[in-house]
Short mmCIF file of all heavy atoms in Angstrom, two decimals:
data_model
loop_
_atom_site.label_atom_id
_atom_site.label_comp_id
_atom_site.label_asym_id
_atom_site.label_seq_id
_atom_site.Cartn_x
_atom_site.Cartn_y
_atom_site.Cartn_z
N PRO A 1 0.81 -1.24 0.02
CA PRO A 1 -0.03 0.04 -0.01
C PRO A 1 0.85 1.31 -0.01
O PRO A 1 1.91 1.24 0.62
CB PRO A 1 -0.78 -0.11 1.32
CG PRO A 1 -0.79 -1.63 1.62
CD PRO A 1 0.55 -2.08 1.16
N PRO A 2 0.45 2.25 -0.77
CA PRO A 2 1.25 3.54 -0.74
C PRO A 2 1.51 4.14 0.65
O PRO A 2 0.59 4.01 1.46
CB PRO A 2 0.56 4.36 -1.72
CG PRO A 2 -0.80 3.93 -1.84
CD PRO A 2 -0.69 2.39 -1.53
N GLY A 3 2.69 4.73 0.82
CA GLY A 3 2.91 5.31 2.18
C GLY A 3 3.30 4.39 3.28
O GLY A 3 3.41 4.81 4.43
N THR A 4 3.56 3.12 2.95
CA THR A 4 3.90 2.27 4.12
C THR A 4 5.27 1.59 4.11
O THR A 4 5.65 1.11 5.09
CB THR A 4 2.94 0.99 3.98
OG1 THR A 4 3.07 0.25 2.74
CG2 THR A 4 1.43 1.44 4.14
N ARG A 5 5.94 1.87 2.93
CA ARG A 5 7.41 1.25 2.94
C ARG A 5 8.18 2.02 1.93
O ARG A 5 7.72 2.46 0.83
CB ARG A 5 7.25 -0.23 2.43
CG ARG A 5 8.61 -0.82 2.28
CD ARG A 5 8.44 -2.36 2.14
NE ARG A 5 9.56 -3.07 1.85
CZ ARG A 5 9.89 -4.38 2.15
NH1 ARG A 5 8.93 -5.07 2.79
NH2 ARG A 5 10.96 -4.92 1.99
N PHE A 6 9.54 2.31 2.34
CA PHE A 6 10.51 2.95 1.40
C PHE A 6 11.18 1.96 0.64
O PHE A 6 11.63 0.94 1.12
CB PHE A 6 11.47 3.72 2.26
CG PHE A 6 12.64 4.28 1.53
CD1 PHE A 6 12.41 5.59 1.06
CD2 PHE A 6 13.89 3.86 1.40
CE1 PHE A 6 13.44 6.18 0.24
CE2 PHE A 6 14.81 4.32 0.66
CZ PHE A 6 14.65 5.58 0.08
N GLU A 7 11.09 2.18 -0.75
CA GLU A 7 11.77 1.24 -1.66
C GLU A 7 12.48 2.03 -2.68
O GLU A 7 11.90 2.83 -3.47
CB GLU A 7 10.74 0.27 -2.24
CG GLU A 7 11.31 -0.65 -3.21
CD GLU A 7 11.13 -2.09 -2.80
OE1 GLU A 7 10.47 -2.34 -1.75
OE2 GLU A 7 11.57 -2.98 -3.47
N TYR A 8 13.85 2.03 -2.65
CA TYR A 8 14.66 2.73 -3.48
C TYR A 8 14.76 2.10 -4.90
O TYR A 8 15.11 0.85 -5.06
CB TYR A 8 16.13 2.92 -2.92
CG TYR A 8 16.96 3.81 -3.68
CD1 TYR A 8 16.89 5.24 -3.51
CD2 TYR A 8 17.92 3.33 -4.58
CE1 TYR A 8 17.69 6.09 -4.21
CE2 TYR A 8 18.78 4.25 -5.33
CZ TYR A 8 18.61 5.57 -5.03
OH TYR A 8 19.47 6.50 -5.68
N GLY A 9 14.54 2.87 -5.95
CA GLY A 9 14.75 2.33 -7.27
C GLY A 9 14.23 3.30 -8.31
O GLY A 9 13.71 4.29 -7.95
N PRO A 10 14.40 2.91 -9.66
CA PRO A 10 14.14 3.89 -10.68
C PRO A 10 12.64 3.99 -11.14
O PRO A 10 12.28 5.04 -11.73
CB PRO A 10 15.05 3.38 -11.89
CG PRO A 10 15.12 1.93 -11.60
CD PRO A 10 15.06 1.75 -10.12
N ALA A 11 11.90 2.98 -11.00
CA ALA A 11 10.57 2.92 -11.62
C ALA A 11 9.68 4.05 -11.29
O ALA A 11 8.99 4.68 -12.19
CB ALA A 11 9.85 1.64 -11.35
N PRO A 12 9.57 4.53 -9.95
CA PRO A 12 8.66 5.54 -9.60
C PRO A 12 8.99 6.97 -10.29
O PRO A 12 8.18 7.64 -10.72
CB PRO A 12 8.87 5.75 -8.14
CG PRO A 12 9.19 4.40 -7.63
CD PRO A 12 10.19 3.84 -8.74
N PHE A 13 10.27 7.12 -10.57
CA PHE A 13 10.75 8.45 -11.19
C PHE A 13 10.43 8.35 -12.69
O PHE A 13 10.07 9.37 -13.34
CB PHE A 13 12.18 8.63 -11.10
CG PHE A 13 12.69 8.78 -9.62
CD1 PHE A 13 13.21 7.82 -8.83
CD2 PHE A 13 12.41 10.02 -8.97
CE1 PHE A 13 13.51 8.00 -7.60
CE2 PHE A 13 12.70 10.30 -7.73
CZ PHE A 13 13.35 9.24 -6.95
N GLN A 14 10.56 7.12 -13.30
CA GLN A 14 10.07 7.03 -14.65
C GLN A 14 8.58 7.14 -14.88
O GLN A 14 8.08 7.63 -15.82
CB GLN A 14 10.59 5.60 -15.26
CG GLN A 14 11.99 5.51 -15.42
CD GLN A 14 12.71 6.36 -16.54
OE1 GLN A 14 12.92 7.51 -16.39
NE2 GLN A 14 12.82 5.80 -17.69
N ALA A 15 7.85 6.59 -13.78
CA ALA A 15 6.38 6.81 -13.94
C ALA A 15 6.02 8.29 -13.90
O ALA A 15 5.08 8.84 -14.50
CB ALA A 15 5.76 5.99 -12.74
N PHE A 16 6.76 9.05 -12.99
CA PHE A 16 6.56 10.48 -12.88
C PHE A 16 6.95 11.12 -14.21
O PHE A 16 6.18 12.03 -14.63
CB PHE A 16 7.44 11.09 -11.82
CG PHE A 16 7.42 12.62 -11.74
CD1 PHE A 16 6.26 13.27 -11.29
CD2 PHE A 16 8.53 13.32 -12.15
CE1 PHE A 16 6.26 14.60 -11.37
CE2 PHE A 16 8.44 14.67 -12.04
CZ PHE A 16 7.30 15.39 -11.71
N GLY A 17 7.95 10.65 -14.90
CA GLY A 17 8.25 11.13 -16.30
C GLY A 17 7.11 11.00 -17.24
O GLY A 17 6.75 11.89 -17.90
N GLU A 18 6.37 9.88 -17.10
CA GLU A 18 5.18 9.66 -18.04
C GLU A 18 4.07 10.58 -17.65
O GLU A 18 3.38 11.07 -18.52
CB GLU A 18 4.85 8.23 -17.98
CG GLU A 18 3.59 7.87 -18.72
CD GLU A 18 3.72 8.10 -20.22
OE1 GLU A 18 4.84 8.41 -20.75
OE2 GLU A 18 2.67 8.11 -20.91
N ILE A 19 3.89 10.84 -16.30
CA ILE A 19 2.84 11.77 -15.88
C ILE A 19 3.09 13.15 -16.39
O ILE A 19 2.25 13.75 -17.02
CB ILE A 19 2.79 11.82 -14.38
CG1 ILE A 19 2.25 10.60 -13.75
CG2 ILE A 19 1.94 13.06 -13.88
CD1 ILE A 19 2.39 10.37 -12.30
N MET A 20 4.35 13.57 -16.34
CA MET A 20 4.68 14.93 -16.91
C MET A 20 4.51 14.85 -18.45
O MET A 20 4.02 15.85 -19.02
CB MET A 20 6.15 15.29 -16.56
CG MET A 20 6.32 15.64 -15.15
SD MET A 20 5.25 17.08 -14.65
CE MET A 20 5.88 18.35 -15.73
N ARG A 21 4.93 13.91 -19.13
CA ARG A 21 4.74 13.77 -20.60
C ARG A 21 3.32 13.91 -20.96
O ARG A 21 2.98 14.70 -21.89
CB ARG A 21 5.28 12.54 -21.07
CG ARG A 21 5.42 12.43 -22.62
CD ARG A 21 5.74 10.99 -23.11
NE ARG A 21 4.56 10.11 -22.92
CZ ARG A 21 3.55 10.13 -23.78
NH1 ARG A 21 3.47 10.88 -24.85
NH2 ARG A 21 2.49 9.29 -23.55
N ARG A 22 2.47 13.33 -20.26
CA ARG A 22 0.90 13.33 -20.62
C ARG A 22 0.39 14.75 -20.23
O ARG A 22 -0.53 15.21 -20.90
CB ARG A 22 0.24 12.33 -19.88
CG ARG A 22 0.55 10.85 -20.33
CD ARG A 22 -0.35 9.81 -19.75
NE ARG A 22 0.25 8.53 -20.07
CZ ARG A 22 -0.41 7.33 -19.71
NH1 ARG A 22 -1.68 7.41 -19.09
NH2 ARG A 22 0.16 6.18 -19.97
N LYS A 23 0.86 15.35 -19.21
CA LYS A 23 0.28 16.60 -18.80
C LYS A 23 0.75 17.88 -19.65
O LYS A 23 0.15 18.84 -19.76
CB LYS A 23 0.72 16.96 -17.31
CG LYS A 23 -0.16 16.11 -16.30
CD LYS A 23 0.22 16.47 -14.81
CE LYS A 23 -0.65 15.69 -13.91
NZ LYS A 23 -2.10 16.26 -13.82
N LEU A 24 1.97 17.69 -20.20
CA LEU A 24 2.61 18.82 -20.88
C LEU A 24 1.83 19.01 -22.26
O LEU A 24 1.64 18.09 -22.98
CB LEU A 24 4.08 18.65 -21.16
CG LEU A 24 4.83 18.70 -19.78
CD1 LEU A 24 6.30 18.28 -20.07
CD2 LEU A 24 4.93 20.17 -19.33
N ARG A 25 1.58 20.26 -22.63
CA ARG A 25 1.11 20.51 -23.89
C ARG A 25 2.14 21.22 -24.78
O ARG A 25 2.48 20.90 -25.91
CB ARG A 25 -0.12 21.39 -23.86
CG ARG A 25 -1.33 20.73 -23.14
CD ARG A 25 -2.55 21.50 -23.21
NE ARG A 25 -3.76 20.81 -22.72
CZ ARG A 25 -4.02 20.68 -21.50
NH1 ARG A 25 -3.29 21.32 -20.45
NH2 ARG A 25 -5.07 19.94 -20.99
N ARG A 26 2.87 22.24 -24.16
CA ARG A 26 3.78 23.00 -24.86
C ARG A 26 5.07 22.20 -25.05
O ARG A 26 5.83 22.26 -26.20
CB ARG A 26 4.18 24.30 -24.16
CG ARG A 26 5.14 25.14 -24.86
CD ARG A 26 5.32 26.56 -24.01
NE ARG A 26 6.37 27.30 -24.59
CZ ARG A 26 6.74 28.58 -24.21
NH1 ARG A 26 5.93 29.11 -23.19
NH2 ARG A 26 7.65 29.21 -24.81
N ASP A 27 5.52 21.45 -24.10
CA ASP A 27 6.68 20.54 -24.20
C ASP A 27 6.19 19.12 -23.81
O ASP A 27 5.74 18.83 -22.75
CB ASP A 27 7.70 21.03 -23.12
CG ASP A 27 8.19 22.38 -23.25
OD1 ASP A 27 8.77 22.60 -24.35
OD2 ASP A 27 8.10 23.16 -22.32
N ALA A 28 6.36 18.19 -24.91
CA ALA A 28 5.98 16.82 -24.64
C ALA A 28 7.14 16.11 -23.90
O ALA A 28 6.94 14.84 -23.70
CB ALA A 28 5.76 16.16 -25.97
N ASP A 29 8.19 16.72 -23.69
CA ASP A 29 9.38 16.13 -23.18
C ASP A 29 9.67 16.77 -21.71
O ASP A 29 9.90 18.00 -21.59
CB ASP A 29 10.52 16.42 -24.06
CG ASP A 29 11.77 15.77 -23.57
OD1 ASP A 29 12.24 15.82 -22.43
OD2 ASP A 29 12.56 15.20 -24.49
N PRO A 30 9.80 15.91 -20.62
CA PRO A 30 9.99 16.59 -19.30
C PRO A 30 11.27 17.25 -19.11
O PRO A 30 11.30 18.20 -18.43
CB PRO A 30 9.89 15.36 -18.35
CG PRO A 30 9.15 14.28 -19.10
CD PRO A 30 9.39 14.52 -20.49
N LEU A 31 12.28 16.82 -19.89
CA LEU A 31 13.59 17.53 -19.78
C LEU A 31 13.46 18.85 -20.45
O LEU A 31 13.97 19.87 -19.96
CB LEU A 31 14.61 16.71 -20.47
CG LEU A 31 16.05 17.33 -20.58
CD1 LEU A 31 16.58 17.79 -19.21
CD2 LEU A 31 17.06 16.39 -21.26
N ALA A 32 12.85 18.97 -21.58
CA ALA A 32 12.62 20.23 -22.26
C ALA A 32 11.90 21.27 -21.34
O ALA A 32 12.22 22.46 -21.23
CB ALA A 32 11.86 20.10 -23.53
N TYR A 33 10.90 20.76 -20.57
CA TYR A 33 10.11 21.54 -19.61
C TYR A 33 11.17 21.99 -18.54
O TYR A 33 11.12 23.28 -18.21
CB TYR A 33 9.05 20.76 -19.09
CG TYR A 33 8.19 21.37 -17.97
CD1 TYR A 33 7.30 22.41 -18.31
CD2 TYR A 33 8.41 21.06 -16.62
CE1 TYR A 33 6.60 23.03 -17.31
CE2 TYR A 33 7.65 21.66 -15.63
CZ TYR A 33 6.76 22.71 -15.96
OH TYR A 33 5.99 23.37 -14.98
N LEU A 34 11.98 21.13 -18.00
CA LEU A 34 12.90 21.55 -16.88
C LEU A 34 13.85 22.53 -17.42
O LEU A 34 14.16 23.59 -16.81
CB LEU A 34 13.69 20.27 -16.43
CG LEU A 34 14.85 20.51 -15.39
CD1 LEU A 34 14.23 21.14 -14.15
CD2 LEU A 34 15.58 19.29 -15.22
N GLN A 35 14.33 22.42 -18.62
CA GLN A 35 15.27 23.38 -19.25
C GLN A 35 14.70 24.74 -19.40
O GLN A 35 15.17 25.64 -19.08
CB GLN A 35 15.86 22.76 -20.51
CG GLN A 35 16.76 21.66 -20.25
CD GLN A 35 17.32 21.05 -21.63
OE1 GLN A 35 16.58 21.06 -22.61
NE2 GLN A 35 18.53 20.57 -21.60
N ARG A 36 13.37 24.67 -19.91
CA ARG A 36 12.75 26.01 -20.25
C ARG A 36 12.36 26.62 -18.98
O ARG A 36 12.52 27.96 -18.78
CB ARG A 36 11.48 25.70 -21.06
CG ARG A 36 10.65 27.03 -21.38
CD ARG A 36 9.48 26.69 -22.25
NE ARG A 36 8.46 25.75 -21.70
CZ ARG A 36 7.61 26.12 -20.82
NH1 ARG A 36 7.47 27.37 -20.39
NH2 ARG A 36 6.77 25.25 -20.43
N ARG A 37 11.77 25.99 -18.01
CA ARG A 37 11.30 26.59 -16.75
C ARG A 37 12.31 26.99 -15.79
O ARG A 37 12.17 27.91 -15.01
CB ARG A 37 10.17 25.64 -16.11
CG ARG A 37 9.00 25.54 -16.94
CD ARG A 37 8.17 26.89 -16.69
NE ARG A 37 7.56 26.85 -15.35
CZ ARG A 37 8.01 27.53 -14.28
NH1 ARG A 37 9.07 28.23 -14.32
NH2 ARG A 37 7.30 27.42 -13.14
N VAL A 38 13.36 26.18 -15.63
CA VAL A 38 14.38 26.32 -14.54
C VAL A 38 15.83 26.46 -15.00
O VAL A 38 16.49 27.42 -14.73
CB VAL A 38 14.28 25.23 -13.53
CG1 VAL A 38 15.35 25.36 -12.40
CG2 VAL A 38 12.96 25.17 -12.89
N LEU A 39 16.36 25.49 -15.73
CA LEU A 39 17.81 25.46 -15.92
C LEU A 39 18.21 26.59 -16.83
O LEU A 39 19.24 27.26 -16.45
CB LEU A 39 18.21 24.05 -16.57
CG LEU A 39 17.92 22.83 -15.74
CD1 LEU A 39 18.43 21.65 -16.36
CD2 LEU A 39 18.45 22.98 -14.28
N ALA A 40 17.55 26.80 -17.93
CA ALA A 40 18.03 28.00 -18.76
C ALA A 40 17.92 29.32 -18.02
O ALA A 40 18.86 30.14 -18.16
CB ALA A 40 17.23 28.01 -20.06
N PRO A 41 16.82 29.66 -17.28
CA PRO A 41 16.72 30.85 -16.57
C PRO A 41 17.86 31.07 -15.61
O PRO A 41 18.21 32.22 -15.26
CB PRO A 41 15.34 30.85 -16.01
CG PRO A 41 14.55 29.97 -16.83
CD PRO A 41 15.49 28.94 -17.28
N ILE A 42 18.36 29.99 -14.93
CA ILE A 42 19.38 30.15 -13.88
C ILE A 42 20.85 30.00 -14.46
O ILE A 42 21.91 30.07 -13.78
CB ILE A 42 19.14 29.35 -12.75
CG1 ILE A 42 19.26 27.85 -13.09
CG2 ILE A 42 17.80 29.60 -12.07
CD1 ILE A 42 19.25 26.86 -11.85
N GLY A 43 20.90 29.75 -15.74
CA GLY A 43 22.18 29.71 -16.47
C GLY A 43 22.92 28.24 -16.28
O GLY A 43 24.12 28.25 -16.43
N VAL A 44 22.12 27.20 -16.22
CA VAL A 44 22.61 25.83 -16.11
C VAL A 44 22.38 25.15 -17.43
O VAL A 44 21.19 25.14 -17.86
CB VAL A 44 22.04 25.04 -14.85
CG1 VAL A 44 22.43 23.64 -14.95
CG2 VAL A 44 22.43 25.69 -13.60
N HIS A 45 23.37 24.54 -17.99
CA HIS A 45 23.29 23.88 -19.23
C HIS A 45 23.91 22.56 -19.17
O HIS A 45 25.15 22.37 -19.36
CB HIS A 45 23.98 24.70 -20.29
CG HIS A 45 23.39 26.21 -20.44
ND1 HIS A 45 22.21 26.46 -20.94
CD2 HIS A 45 23.97 27.28 -19.90
CE1 HIS A 45 21.98 27.73 -20.83
NE2 HIS A 45 22.96 28.29 -20.28
N PRO A 46 23.21 21.54 -18.96
CA PRO A 46 23.79 20.12 -19.01
C PRO A 46 24.41 19.78 -20.28
O PRO A 46 23.94 20.04 -21.34
CB PRO A 46 22.51 19.24 -18.63
CG PRO A 46 21.39 20.10 -18.06
CD PRO A 46 21.65 21.44 -18.63
#
């Protein structure tokens, strides 16, 4: 059940990536969204 156990691994973050992909209209890519909204404005360029 959610909220009952800590389990470290990659799947939850990838599921979040899919949530963002479906929610975005202007950017279909979560990384493009991060770059536009945060990284580029603060001068960070991976």
Side-chain angles (χ1 to χ4, degrees):
T4 62
R5 179 166 175 155
F6 178 80
E7 180 116 2
Y8 187 81
F13 296 101
Q14 290 289 85
F16 173 72
E18 177 62 11
I19 289 172
M20 287 301 302
R21 190 191 70 80
R22 295 188 190 186
K23 285 181 174 289
L24 291 170
R25 293 183 175 87
R26 180 172 177 178
D27 300 302
D29 183 318
L31 176 56
Y33 177 74
L34 173 65
Q35 289 177 325
R36 176 176 64 81
R37 286 287 282 102
V38 174
L39 299 185
I42 66 174
V44 171
H45 304 284

